Amino acid sequence: FRPLVSMSWGYDLIFDAPRGRLWQWAPRFTLRRSAALVGDSAIIRQLAVSYLKQAARIHEKASQPAEQADVLDDLAEVYYWIEDFTQASTYYKDALEIYRQRGDRQGEASCLRSLGDVHLPLAEYQLSERYYERALELYRSLRSRLDMAVCLRSLGDVSRLQDNYLEAETKYKSALGMFREMKDELGEATCLQSLADNALNQGQYDAALRRFEEAIEIYRKHGNLLGEGNCLRGLGDAYRIQGDYFTARTFFEQALER
């Protein structure tokens, strides 16, 4: 069993680390035995960014481009999760340039896909699509089927968000088939959920209900409460839109419990 690091302990771990060797050993010992570090304190974000920037400079001065690119990629991810998409894009592009210079096609493809992720919430759909397609092309050349499936699902999101539902369905189904071939059940569940959302957007309520229920079964099997909760909310939306408010409320309440 690997417990989560609590928020207050997580803050202490990072804030006290510079105080000496013992304080550095304690965080290292704890984090290696933990599943995650959680916290909502601004100091955690600030220190994480500060340490990553220091690491990037050190690797640059030491002429270690591979390590520098990896740190820049990590830094971009931090900015992505705090929704600073401008900074995330900047650091992903910096990492991308180094990966290309080194001929690291896996790193290049990963950055391209991440840039697609960055531009999607900004509703910059054409730009996002271009990044995903370039990533998909590279993943095909690398024969990385898992990453191909993820890109196809993301391209489906781009199409759905632009109301191109038939195109989205085709991409989701292609990704679904690949996840099933690889026996990746959580990947399968995310595609089923996406297909359900796509059907719901078109007013195809029976299809949406069926897909949400299929996804829920898989999420429950794997103990994925977030995925299950999102699908339960989707079921609630489907019944609410049809005017069945009592059933909708039941599913919304179940979603709140997850």
Side-chain angles (χ1 to χ4, degrees):
F1 175 68
R2 301 176 66 200
L4 290 173
V5 180
S6 69
M7 183 173 65
S8 59
W9 179 224
Y11 171 87
D12 295 338
L13 280 174
I14 295 179
F15 187 76
D16 291 330
R19 292 176 58 181
R21 289 186 176 180
L22 178 61
W23 293 99
Q24 292 170 7
W25 172 85
R28 187 180 303 114
F29 178 88
T30 304
L31 290 173
R32 284 178 176 175
R33 290 159 176 78
S34 303
L37 170 63
V38 296
D40 60 1
S41 174
I43 192 66
I44 294 178
R45 178 176 69 249
Q46 293 167 6
L47 287 172
V49 168
S50 175
Y51 289 145
L52 286 169
K53 286 182 177 179
Q54 289 179 50
R57 287 194 294 268
I58 290 170
H59 289 307
E60 183 179 15
K61 289 180 180 179
S63 298
Q64 298 173 321
E67 291 79 2
Q68 181 188 0
D70 289 342
V71 172
L72 290 169
D73 186 78
D74 289 340
L75 189 54
E77 187 172 359
V78 171
Y79 280 116
Y80 173 79
W81 286 113
I82 62 174
E83 299 184 357
D84 188 340
F85 299 120
T86 300
Q87 287 281 46
S89 179
T90 296
Y91 284 108
Y92 277 132
K93 287 177 180 176
D94 289 343
L96 175 63
E97 183 178 354
I98 297 173
Y99 284 132
R100 281 177 171 163
Q101 290 173 353
R102 301 191 69 256
D104 184 339
R105 296 164 74 198
Q106 184 71 39
E108 180 183 351
S110 177
C111 279
L112 288 169
R113 186 175 73 193
S114 295
L115 283 164
D117 293 339
V118 165
H119 290 282
L120 193 61
L122 297 174
E124 296 172 344
Y125 300 127
Q126 292 183 345
L127 188 55
S128 183
E129 185 176 30
R130 285 201 296 272
Y131 280 124
Y132 285 138
E133 286 178 344
R134 287 160 63 187
L136 179 60
E137 183 179 350
L138 274 175
Y139 284 132
R140 280 195 179 115
S141 68
L142 294 167
R143 302 192 179 190
S144 179
R145 291 185 61 77
L146 176 60
D147 292 309
M148 287 169 59
V150 172
C151 278
L152 282 168
R153 186 183 64 210
S154 296
L155 283 165
D157 290 338
V158 173
S159 297
R160 179 172 59 83
L161 291 169
Q162 296 180 91
D163 300 335
N164 296 326
Y165 301 122
L166 292 178
E167 188 176 292
E169 183 176 357
T170 297
K171 291 170 181 175
Y172 287 143
K173 286 183 175 178
S174 294
L176 177 63
M178 295 178 72
F179 282 123
R180 282 175 170 168
E181 286 176 8
M182 292 180 287
K183 301 187 185 304
D184 184 329
E185 292 190 338
L186 285 176
E188 177 184 351
T190 59
C191 283
L192 290 168
Q193 182 180 344
S194 296
L195 282 164
D197 288 330
N198 197 54
L200 190 60
N201 291 153
Q202 299 175 81
Q204 299 172 356
Y205 303 119
D206 289 342
L209 293 173
R210 184 175 67 255
R211 293 298 194 181
F212 278 132
E213 288 167 356
E214 290 179 72
I216 286 173
E217 185 177 349
I218 297 174
Y219 283 135
R220 282 177 176 163
K221 176 181 176 181
H222 291 272
N224 189 317
L225 296 178
L226 178 60
E228 181 185 352
N230 286 334
C231 286
L232 287 167
R233 185 181 63 187
L235 286 170
D237 285 334
Y239 282 106
R240 175 183 57 79
I241 294 169
Q242 296 179 87
D244 187 345
Y245 302 116
F246 179 80
T247 304
R249 177 178 177 177
T250 299
F251 281 114
F252 287 143
E253 288 175 345
Q254 290 180 34
L256 284 172
E257 293 172 359
R258 297 301 183 268

